[in-house]
Amino acid sequence: MRHATKVASVVAAAALGLAACGSSTGNSTSPGSTGGSTGGAGSSSLKIGMAYDVGGRGDQSFNDAAAAGLDKAKNELGASVKEASAVAGESESARKDRLQSLIDAGYNNIVAVGFAYAKAVGETAKANPDVKFAIVDDASPDSAGPNVDQITFAEEQGSFLVGAAAALKSKTNHIGFIGGVQTELIKKFEAGYEAGAKAVKPGIKIDVKYLTQPPDFSGFNSVDKGKAAADGMYQGGADVVYHAAGGSGGGVFTAAKSAGKWAIGVDSDQAKTAPADVRDVILTSMIKKVDVGVYDFINEVKNGSFKAGNKIFDLKAGGVDYSTTGGHIDDIKSKLDDYKQKIISGQITVPKS
């Protein structure tokens, strides 16, 4: 494994990228299709193709964080980009075809957003050895290769901090966690959240609900399922609910607003990206700086310093954190920062499952 040593140089600019989360790059992409390029295929020698996970650009969370890194690379590095999105329930061949179509269109540096692309990236990278790939959220043998950058994060560490925040703010000693799909990755969010909450209040009650089970990945893009799950938790006595459910999180925020309770966002600072009418119920967000990982890959490609292998973005590297937008946790920030330093120093080891 190689550590994310370059993160510090780009973290300071991450806020600029995140501000673009909900914006358009000028592409007209429909789910499952390859969208138009920005800047034209011949306008730049740095050509980046991005294949989004289910929900695509505009999910206000995971995909938008990746899009922010792409937008930053377009604006600051002069990249020419082309985008495409996955659809729920699609086949493995559809993912491979999406990656290959980007390559065939002349985009010889590919970013695949999400672990669902693991096998597709591994096979397509092997078939296209001169193309450089990055995959977000996978470090498995399925995607590994001499031309693949595997970008992963210490989600459990950031989730520990928002779990501590939830416990410190809960008045009922009862909180909840909603995962989009029950995978090993999302279990890291759950494990960290529970550990953080129990570090504050060992006896706290934590409800857990996953919206779907593999191979059904619709749990990452079902507002209705997210709302129903959160409604049930709030009605059952939980007063803070953390979601790691992609686009389904919009339903969690709506439920929190109706119940007059708190919600915790994920991946992006969702108090900035969610619809304005629900932002005031977002206590904090676990920020997973996918934009930094994406930008770092593109910058390495541009500078000729690309290296294959697993790059880990953790708390020490600035790859995960918690947000303070809205000022709702200002009174507990010193406690959360104390936990953060203990994790960074190794005094606290956060479980991954």
Side-chain angles (χ1 to χ4, degrees):
M1 290 186 179
R2 59 191 178 95
H3 197 68
T5 55
K6 297 186 178 182
V7 179
S9 65
V10 290
V11 165
L16 175 63
L18 282 172
C21 281
S23 66
S24 170
T25 61
N27 292 350
S28 177
T29 55
S30 59
S33 67
T34 303
S37 62
T38 58
S43 65
S44 171
S45 60
L46 182 62
K47 298 182 176 65
I48 310 298
M50 178 167 281
Y52 293 109
D53 204 350
V54 173
R57 180 188 281 270
D59 72 345
Q60 302 167 0
S61 185
F62 178 59
N63 288 294
D64 270 353
L70 185 68
D71 292 345
K72 180 174 165 60
K74 177 189 170 187
N75 294 332
E76 297 188 6
L77 304 178
S80 175
V81 307
K82 191 174 184 67
E83 303 172 61
S85 293
V87 296
E90 69 181 11
S91 65
E92 187 66 36
S93 62
R95 287 186 281 273
K96 288 175 59 179
D97 289 346
R98 181 174 303 111
L99 299 180
Q100 190 62 52
S101 69
L102 290 168
I103 296 167
D104 292 344
Y107 294 81
N108 57 351
N109 304 288
I110 305 296
V111 181
V113 185
F115 59 82
Y117 281 102
K119 290 183 179 179
V121 164
E123 294 177 13
T124 309
K126 185 175 181 180
N128 298 271
D130 295 330
V131 175
K132 295 180 178 65
F133 291 79
I135 182 169
V136 180
D137 278 354
D138 184 73
S140 72
D142 286 340
S143 66
N147 54 335
V148 181
D149 182 1
Q150 297 173 310
I151 301 169
T152 60
F153 298 82
E155 295 92 351
E156 72 282 359
Q157 294 181 356
S159 296
F160 182 102
L161 298 178
V162 299
L168 288 165
K169 284 293 185 176
S170 176
K171 296 179 180 179
T172 63
N173 204 36
H174 185 175
I175 61 176
F177 172 82
I178 294 174
V181 183
Q182 192 169 11
T183 63
E184 292 304 312
L185 173 64
I186 304 304
K187 288 178 182 178
K188 289 172 65 181
F189 291 81
E190 178 195 346
Y193 181 66
E194 291 185 350
K198 290 179 178 179
V200 174
K201 296 178 180 177
I204 194 168
K205 181 177 180 180
I206 306 172
D207 296 334
V208 175
K209 172 72 174 179
Y210 285 90
L211 302 181
T212 61
Q213 300 289 326
D216 180 2
F217 288 91
S218 64
F220 288 129
N221 194 35
S222 176
V223 172
D224 290 345
K225 285 187 173 83
K227 183 178 185 303
D231 279 338
M233 289 184 181
Y234 292 129
Q235 291 168 11
D239 58 353
V240 186
V241 174
Y242 172 40
H243 88 86
S248 301
V252 177
F253 300 149
T254 300
K257 185 73 172 183
S258 297
K261 304 290 177 63
W262 290 115
I264 296 177
V266 74
D267 294 335
S268 300
D269 183 352
Q270 293 200 279
K272 293 180 178 178
T273 65
D277 63 335
V278 298
R279 292 180 184 179
D280 62 342
V281 300
I282 300 175
L283 178 66
T284 181
S285 295
M286 196 288 281
I287 301 176
K288 176 176 166 179
K289 298 181 180 177
V290 177
D291 59 321
V292 175
V294 168
Y295 181 88
D296 191 57
F297 162 71
I298 299 171
N299 194 42
E300 285 185 353
V301 168
K302 181 177 176 64
N303 293 336
S305 57
F306 169 84
K307 292 182 180 179
N310 180 210
K311 183 185 295 181
I312 303 170
F313 292 79
D314 59 10
L315 266 178
K316 186 175 183 179
V320 294
D321 209 337
Y322 68 93
S323 67
T324 59
T325 301
H328 305 306
I329 58 171
D330 287 354
D331 58 326
I332 61 171
K333 187 176 186 302
S334 62
K335 294 180 181 179
L336 298 181
D337 286 344
D338 182 57
Y339 280 122
K340 181 193 292 189
Q341 290 307 313
K342 288 179 179 177
I343 294 170
I344 291 172
S345 71
Q347 188 174 344
I348 292 177
T349 300
V350 184
K352 297 181 180 181
S353 60

